[in-house]
Amino acid sequence: MLVANDHFEVVDDGAIVWARRTATGFETPKEVSDVHADIVRVLDRLPRDARQLFLDLRRAVGRNDPEFEQALAPHRKRFLHGWVRTVILVRSQVGRMQVQRHGGDDGGKPIVVTDPAEAARLLGVDAIE
């Protein structure tokens, strides 16, 4: 386990970094920034050019108020970019559009899906829990 806190569980199996959001929401913009900064510091030690990233946001409690988005913005690109492939699994089409918007704002092209079977296929694994 690379990271285990109230908001994320992150595991590296050597081929895929599995990052899963919990259902615990963020209370403050500072908490958003601190949690993501800690995760990025851990991820920065990994060879991104040799791994895929899977980010499961299905359980996340969404926040799109400007203060929370601003707190996340400086960490988002460092979290998501540089991997062989980044696949993000979200709960809804609205979530998909929001994550795609962020990816475009950051200059990246994460693959955002709502179907776990599609995420599994893209990652080359049998199934996503």
Side-chain angles (χ1 to χ4, degrees):
M1 182 82 58
L2 294 175
V3 175
N5 60 43
D6 289 343
H7 303 284
F8 278 94
E9 292 179 352
V10 183
V11 175
D12 175 22
D13 73 8
I16 300 171
V17 173
W18 303 88
R20 289 187 164 93
R21 267 292 269 121
T22 70
T24 302
F26 290 103
E27 295 294 322
T28 66
K30 181 179 182 337
E31 185 181 32
V32 170
S33 182
D34 291 348
V35 166
H36 285 86
D38 288 345
I39 293 170
V40 166
R41 275 192 288 280
V42 171
L43 296 179
D44 281 349
R45 296 190 301 240
L46 300 175
R48 292 173 185 238
D49 61 348
R51 287 172 173 76
Q52 298 181 89
L53 173 68
F54 171 67
L55 178 57
D56 185 347
L57 298 177
R58 291 176 294 175
R59 294 178 63 203
V61 176
R63 293 294 300 252
N64 64 358
D65 21 340
E67 301 82 19
F68 282 81
E69 287 201 6
Q70 288 172 358
L72 177 58
H75 309 290
R76 197 172 49 229
K77 184 174 184 176
R78 286 186 53 214
F79 193 122
L80 299 177
H81 295 235
W83 305 97
V84 171
R85 174 180 294 125
T86 299
V87 177
I88 303 172
L89 180 60
V90 297
R91 185 175 44 234
S92 68
Q93 287 297 334
V94 171
R96 183 172 187 246
M97 290 187 307
Q98 182 177 6
V99 172
Q100 285 176 323
R101 177 176 56 86
H102 288 305
D105 291 348
D106 296 341
K109 296 185 192 263
I111 302 166
V112 186
V113 298
T114 58
D115 179 15
E118 183 178 1
R121 182 186 60 74
L122 289 163
L123 293 165
V125 298
D126 292 333
I128 302 287
E129 299 175 16

